[in-house]
Amino acid sequence: EAFGDRSLSQGLSVLVGLGLCVTMLGLGCAVELGQLGQQLRRPVGLLLALLGQFVAMPLLAFLLALIFALDEVAAVAVLLCGCCPGGNLSNLMSVLVDGDMNLSIIMTASSTLLALFLMPLCLWIYSRHWINTAVVQLLPLGAVSLTLGSTLLPIGLGVLIRYRHPRAADLLVKISLWSLLVTLVILFILTGTMLGPDLLAHIPASVYAIAVLMPLAGYALGYGLATVFKMPPHCRRTVSLETGCQNVQLCTAILKLTFPPELIGGMYMFPLLYALFQSAEAGLFVLVYKMYGKDSYKQDTLGEEEDTDISYKKLKEEEVADTSYGTVTTEEHNSIQMEPTQTSL
């Protein structure tokens, strides 16, 4: 009954909508047109985003829903989260594990743009198993597409701000990351206090298990995908985080704005649970890297710098040998003579 309260529902919708707009604006501010053109000429990041976010993760969500025998409402919430594009959390975590930031940002932006077409398609394909249920028959694919389309405006505005005002864009990126954290915390507080603790108690234990396993399996799938493409270690870490981190703001917005609250019920909380566990598991990923992987990363970087320095010295010596057409000698009485030397061509 509390979840169906009209004023509270509208307030949550406004909060979710504003948080999503700020997040998409920050994502656009992180994209540079020069990097985008370079990635389009060598579309590895685009291909990885396609395979990770719209092949691996939707299939993983579908299989988990079948294995844990979820009901139709819980299955739709899990599928919706699995079909979402990558989120901004992956960009922050990629910095902490010395990942490839250009690849991270391009994968996030590419998956967000691809979601406009592929997310409704994936939802339509994987919801066929529950087609005879009311929630799937009411699955608003048009509203999902409209919500996705509305994110293009703040993304485009962010790209324009990056192009014209780079310093302002850097500030907006930081604001968007903080807004992600603040929005999730506020949603947890509101749903936990105003809607009552019974809301979390009504969520099945199987849904909690999926919220734990799904991001963990996503990180593993992403790392395996990057290994298949024979990418260097720092790119593997990046692809791993990009695959496991979903855009939970978008998932929450779709559940909140397109489904009746009395129909979706407690499953509105699933993306928030997913956000909690994906952040905790990514934090463990970063902690393990800082404890065991940082030294090897520094050694690899140092070795590359030493090799470059040696090569540079050799190149300079060769240049000196090839361009010495004469030597200058000094004799007594302050006379200077040029002695020709023979240079082999």
Side-chain angles (χ1 to χ4, degrees):
E1 294 178 359
F3 194 77
D5 181 64
R6 192 171 187 83
S7 58
L8 177 60
S9 178
Q10 289 178 349
L12 289 175
S13 298
V14 171
L15 176 63
V16 169
L18 289 176
L20 180 63
C21 287
V22 174
T23 300
M24 294 298 102
L25 179 65
L27 175 60
C29 288
V31 177
E32 294 185 6
L33 293 178
Q35 297 175 358
L36 184 61
Q38 181 181 0
Q39 290 292 331
L40 290 177
R41 289 190 296 269
R42 192 180 57 181
V44 178
L46 183 64
L47 179 61
L48 290 172
L50 173 64
L51 294 176
Q53 297 296 343
F54 302 109
V55 176
M57 291 305 292
L59 180 59
L60 173 64
F62 175 73
L63 293 176
L64 288 173
L66 289 181
I67 292 171
F68 285 91
L70 298 183
D71 60 62
E72 63 275 10
V73 177
V76 167
V78 171
L79 283 175
L80 189 60
C81 189
C83 295
C84 277
N88 291 55
L89 177 66
S90 59
N91 306 138
L92 176 62
M93 293 300 177
S94 294
V95 174
L96 298 178
V97 296
D98 299 311
D100 188 334
M101 281 308 300
N102 290 338
L103 178 62
S104 177
I105 293 171
I106 290 300
M107 285 188 67
T108 303
S110 300
S111 64
T112 303
L113 297 178
L114 288 171
L116 185 62
F117 308 100
L118 295 180
M119 188 175 175
L121 177 62
C122 290
L123 285 173
W124 181 81
I125 292 173
Y126 288 108
S127 65
R128 298 296 91 193
H129 183 76
W130 298 274
I131 190 61
N132 294 323
T133 61
V135 68
V136 174
Q137 290 177 354
L138 293 174
L139 186 62
L141 296 179
V144 171
S145 299
L146 182 62
T147 305
L148 289 167
S150 65
T151 63
L152 296 180
L153 182 60
I155 290 175
L157 179 60
V159 173
L160 181 62
I161 293 175
R162 165 62 64 182
Y163 180 72
R164 293 182 176 272
H165 308 286
R167 292 185 178 179
D170 292 335
L171 178 61
L172 287 173
V173 170
K174 296 178 181 178
I175 292 175
S176 70
L177 292 174
W178 278 106
S179 73
L180 165 64
L181 176 63
V182 171
T183 302
L184 292 177
V185 170
I186 291 176
L187 285 175
F188 268 117
I189 293 174
L190 287 177
T191 52
T193 58
M194 300 181 68
L195 299 182
D198 291 338
L199 181 67
L200 293 175
H202 285 120
I203 299 177
S206 57
V207 174
Y208 282 96
I210 291 177
V212 174
L213 294 175
M214 193 168 157
L216 189 62
Y219 294 142
L221 285 173
Y223 198 89
L225 187 63
T227 303
V228 170
F229 277 79
K230 299 181 179 180
M231 303 189 75
H234 70 290
C235 291
R236 294 180 188 178
R237 296 192 295 270
T238 303
V239 176
S240 174
L241 291 168
E242 282 294 327
T243 304
C245 291
Q246 301 296 89
N247 192 335
V248 292
Q249 307 99 301
L250 179 61
C251 184
T252 305
I254 292 174
L255 286 173
K256 191 70 189 67
L257 301 177
T258 61
F259 286 96
E262 62 274 8
L263 179 63
I264 200 65
M267 287 304 101
Y268 154 78
M269 287 293 294
F270 178 76
L272 301 180
L273 294 175
Y274 188 95
L276 176 64
F277 289 113
Q278 80 170 4
S279 302
E281 291 166 7
L284 290 176
F285 189 170
V286 172
L287 181 62
V288 171
Y289 172 75
K290 295 294 185 183
M291 293 177 62
Y292 300 104
K294 191 73 174 176
D295 293 336
S296 60
Y297 172 79
K298 288 181 178 180
Q299 290 176 1
D300 293 340
T301 305
L302 182 60
E304 292 176 0
E305 292 176 352
E306 290 176 352
D307 292 342
T308 304
D309 185 57
I310 293 173
S311 301
Y312 176 76
K313 289 179 179 179
K314 289 182 179 179
L315 180 61
K316 294 300 292 181
E317 291 174 357
E318 291 176 359
E319 288 179 355
V320 170
D322 289 341
T323 56
S324 58
Y325 290 96
T327 57
V328 179
T329 58
T330 59
E331 296 180 355
E332 294 181 359
H333 308 294
N334 296 327
S335 62
I336 302 176
Q337 296 181 353
M338 178 70 73
E339 294 182 358
T341 60
Q342 185 176 359
T343 304
S344 58
L345 298 177

